[in-house]
Amino acid sequence: MANFQDLNLNTPLYNALDDLGFTTPTPIQEQAFNVVSSGKDVVGIAQTGTGKTFAYMLPILKNLPFSKQENPRVLVLVPTRELVVQVVDEIEKLSKYINNRVLGVYGGTNINTQKQAIAQGLDILVATPGRLYDLALSRVLQLKSIQKLVIDEVDVMLDLGFRHQLINIFDILPERRQNIMFSATMTQDVDLLINDFFKTPERVSIAVSGTPLENIHQVRYNVPNFYTKVNLLAHLLQDTEQYNKVLIFVAFKRMADRLFEQLDEFFKEELCVIHSNKTQNYRLRSIEQFREGHNRILIATDVMARGLDIDNVSHVINFDTPEYPENYMHRIGRTGRAERLGEALVFSTEKEKDAIEGIESLMKMQIPVLEIPEEVQISTELIEEERPQIKERNNPTKRKDEDAPGPAFHEKSEKNSKENLGGSYKFKIAAKYKKPKTRGDKNYNKRNKKK
Ligand code: AMP
């Protein structure tokens, strides 16, 4: 294994590492150092706890000359205020013997204090996207000197819906810059962002071990569609003794909600869900309830389940087959911990066959297939995504790319761009016209009956 001396750092950095008691670079630090130093765009795949912050900060700090100029030269974007604090702290530790100015900014706090801090001049700015953009618009913050942009936890960032914020920020940054992006998981959204905005980035990742823990027993079911998957799941989960702590993975938050709705009917209090559309409090409560055994079943998306540290998970169920084999490894690794035997199940449809092959080739093994039990009803009903897409051929009035999946974003049409006046506006209109103006206003009749 390499040692920090092999990375050819400089004395201030060595001294700081000495004070921290760090002697050997972690694998991601070792791999990322030369690539980040080269100035090329980089995508690093690494989870929290792997030393990823130093993986990008060591080469950046080594190559950042002392400067008296006021505008920041390095911008680090992170999804949450907690991470701003943590990353600033890490940079400060490494900068103990370097004369540089580091500042963290995030929303929900007084923007004027932050403006004053910026006006003092700085080298490295760590920020959440929203606050960064507000500060840039206010013109107190000048981004014209940014040479390096780091986006950390980009998977979480996209899951929280920051894609457009990021694109707006890209627009106001100098074009000539190095982009460095770190993500814990590869997702479709991350892939899309890379393809759209990065110039043939170099990838660095700590190879996910393709060797599953020996104490995880894996099985697979071939299932034709969503509703049959629900039926199979509901059938299996009836065995409360075996299935006593079950983590169910789905790829998208919409699917998490849909599955929750379906299972809620059967399992009510036993069930909870976490994904990024839920509030932080809701998510924390769900995790706690599951950890302590009050809820037997937790539905989670890959991104949100990442930081979860939960013991004694009896079963990990892949309700869908992850497209990226690494995600499968991360998912099933949640069971079979601490010498206990764990069970991992994967449901796959015909469409997911390729994904299964990817997983099996990473693991260099086949997952044994089980027959769907006879009691399970095979559904023929299809959800929207499963229905065949009707393609109009040779329609001259249709643009070629109309069917192409694009970002789910539409400019507001003029009539919708008015301020949302909320319920009271609806009620005013309803009162004026003496009839409900919207179908959604279920309480209208109730309210008006009493009058
Ligand atoms: P991170 O993945 O960046 O959140 O880092 C996880 C923790 O590992 C942080 O507390 C770092 O200070 C620490 N760390 C980073 N690099 C090293 C290293 N080479 N040796 C030991 N600990 C490290």
Side-chain angles (χ1 to χ4, degrees):
M1 197 188 280
N3 146 335
F4 277 123
Q5 297 299 328
D6 301 330
L7 299 184
N8 249 328
L9 303 171
N10 52 28
T11 315
L13 284 171
Y14 280 127
N15 288 342
L17 288 168
D18 265 356
D19 287 358
L20 289 167
F22 298 167
T23 51
T24 15
T26 63
I28 194 72
Q29 290 165 3
E30 200 184 322
Q31 279 195 46
F33 190 82
N34 285 331
V35 189
V36 175
S37 297
S38 76
K40 285 189 218 148
D41 282 3
V42 185
V43 177
I45 304 293
Q47 301 200 286
T48 303
T50 55
K52 66 182 168 69
T53 319
F54 283 13
Y56 58 78
M57 265 348 280
L58 278 168
I60 289 179
L61 288 174
K62 185 196 161 186
N63 299 309
L64 192 72
F66 174 78
S67 165
K68 279 188 175 163
Q69 76 144 340
E70 291 187 350
N71 300 327
R73 289 169 288 159
V74 177
L75 172 62
V76 183
L77 293 175
V78 300
T80 61
R81 64 167 80 182
E82 290 82 3
L83 207 55
V84 171
V85 174
Q86 199 179 310
V87 170
V88 167
D89 189 46
E90 292 273 289
I91 299 175
E92 280 173 349
K93 280 189 212 155
L94 269 188
S95 308
K96 193 165 165 192
Y97 301 100
I98 305 174
N99 191 1
N100 64 14
R101 299 153 299 173
V102 184
L103 180 70
V105 294
Y106 43 79
T109 47
N110 190 333
I111 196 165
N112 290 325
T113 326
Q114 294 175 350
K115 284 180 184 170
Q116 282 162 16
I118 289 167
Q120 311 274 311
L122 69 159
D123 299 294
I124 303 174
L125 180 62
V126 184
T128 47
R131 180 51 60 99
L132 187 272
Y133 196 63
D134 290 346
L135 285 164
L137 288 187
S138 79
R139 312 197 114 251
V140 177
L141 175 63
Q142 295 287 334
L143 297 174
K144 60 184 178 211
S145 305
I146 297 290
Q147 300 158 357
K148 292 181 194 298
L149 167 69
V150 180
I151 314 175
D152 201 350
E153 302 216 345
V154 68
D155 50 351
V156 176
M157 193 105 69
L158 295 174
D159 217 52
L160 292 173
F162 283 140
R163 185 184 158 92
H164 275 275
Q165 298 262 24
L166 287 178
I167 294 171
N168 288 340
I169 293 169
F170 294 162
D171 272 350
I172 51 172
L173 288 175
E175 250 181 61
R176 268 179 65 88
R177 60 169 199 266
Q178 182 186 16
N179 297 299
I180 302 160
M181 185 159 106
F182 271 79
S183 183
T185 43
M186 269 316 282
T187 64
Q188 277 184 338
D189 287 347
V190 175
D191 241 2
L192 250 171
L193 190 79
I194 295 171
N195 291 337
D196 289 352
F197 297 98
F198 283 62
K199 296 181 206 99
T200 53
E202 294 261 336
R203 285 186 191 228
V204 286
S205 66
I206 328 168
V208 174
S209 163
T211 326
L213 296 173
E214 274 172 17
N215 48 345
I216 303 175
H217 177 238
Q218 304 177 61
V219 295
R220 175 159 88 86
Y221 288 94
N222 280 321
V223 195
N225 50 37
F226 174 84
Y227 284 110
T228 313
K229 284 183 177 183
V230 171
N231 294 347
L232 173 61
L233 190 56
H235 171 78
L236 295 171
L237 291 175
Q238 279 169 16
D239 184 348
T240 51
E241 208 171 295
Q242 285 284 325
Y243 288 78
N244 56 56
K245 200 167 195 178
V246 185
L247 187 52
I248 303 174
F249 279 103
V250 292
F252 308 107
K253 43 197 167 194
R254 189 155 43 106
M255 204 50 102
D257 278 336
R258 207 181 255 166
L259 182 59
F260 182 84
E261 246 171 56
Q262 294 294 321
L263 293 182
D264 194 33
E265 222 179 284
F266 305 99
F267 302 105
K268 292 222 172 337
E269 274 83 47
E270 294 183 288
L271 189 64
C272 51
V273 62
I274 47 165
H275 60 65
S276 59
N277 274 7
K278 302 284 178 197
T279 63
Q280 173 118 349
N281 273 343
Y282 183 99
R283 294 198 304 252
L284 290 176
R285 204 170 50 236
S286 292
I287 294 164
E288 226 23 64
Q289 300 252 37
F290 182 65
R291 196 197 305 276
E292 290 180 359
H294 301 305
N295 289 122
R296 180 166 68 97
I297 308 158
L298 176 65
I299 303 172
T301 54
D302 289 298
V303 177
M304 280 300 128
R306 217 158 31 78
L308 288 188
D309 187 18
I310 293 170
D311 289 330
N312 300 332
V313 170
S314 67
H315 293 73
V316 164
I317 300 184
N318 296 273
F319 186 80
D320 52 31
T321 309
E323 205 174 317
Y324 302 91
E326 291 79 6
N327 289 359
Y328 179 81
M329 304 308 294
H330 287 310
R331 286 177 175 190
I332 68 168
R334 301 313 164 105
T335 183
R337 289 185 158 193
E339 312 286 304
R340 279 167 204 268
L341 199 65
E343 298 279 341
L345 290 71
V346 56
F347 295 176
S348 53
T349 60
E350 194 57 38
K351 269 196 186 157
E352 293 171 317
K353 277 274 164 61
D354 286 351
I356 283 290
E357 276 171 22
I359 292 163
E360 290 183 336
S361 83
L362 177 70
M363 296 194 295
K364 297 194 181 63
M365 64 168 272
Q366 305 260 306
I367 308 169
V369 179
L370 293 187
E371 289 295 317
I372 300 178
E374 270 178 18
E375 304 91 304
V376 174
Q377 203 191 337
I378 308 290
S379 171
T380 50
E381 197 179 332
L382 299 177
I383 55 170
E384 195 185 318
E385 291 86 342
E386 292 170 337
R387 286 185 212 132
Q389 301 283 314
I390 300 165
K391 284 243 167 10
E392 287 177 72
R393 280 166 185 272
N394 307 326
N395 180 344
T397 59
K398 198 167 174 178
R399 275 189 293 122
K400 205 174 160 201
D401 59 356
E402 254 174 15
D403 285 332
F409 177 77
H410 306 278
E411 286 295 344
K412 283 181 176 178
S413 66
E414 209 182 334
K415 89 178 148 62
N416 291 333
S417 65
K418 298 209 183 94
E419 207 185 331
N420 176 3
L421 295 172
S424 59
Y425 174 74
K426 272 196 299 193
F427 298 146
K428 255 189 236 156
I429 291 287
K432 188 172 168 193
Y433 294 101
K434 307 285 184 286
K435 64 178 185 202
K437 275 290 165 194
T438 60
R439 259 189 271 166
D441 187 3
K442 288 186 200 140
N443 296 324
Y444 177 85
N445 291 332
K446 254 193 263 166
R447 239 193 323 275
N448 288 282
K449 226 183 268 170
K450 292 186 193 136
K451 284 185 187 167

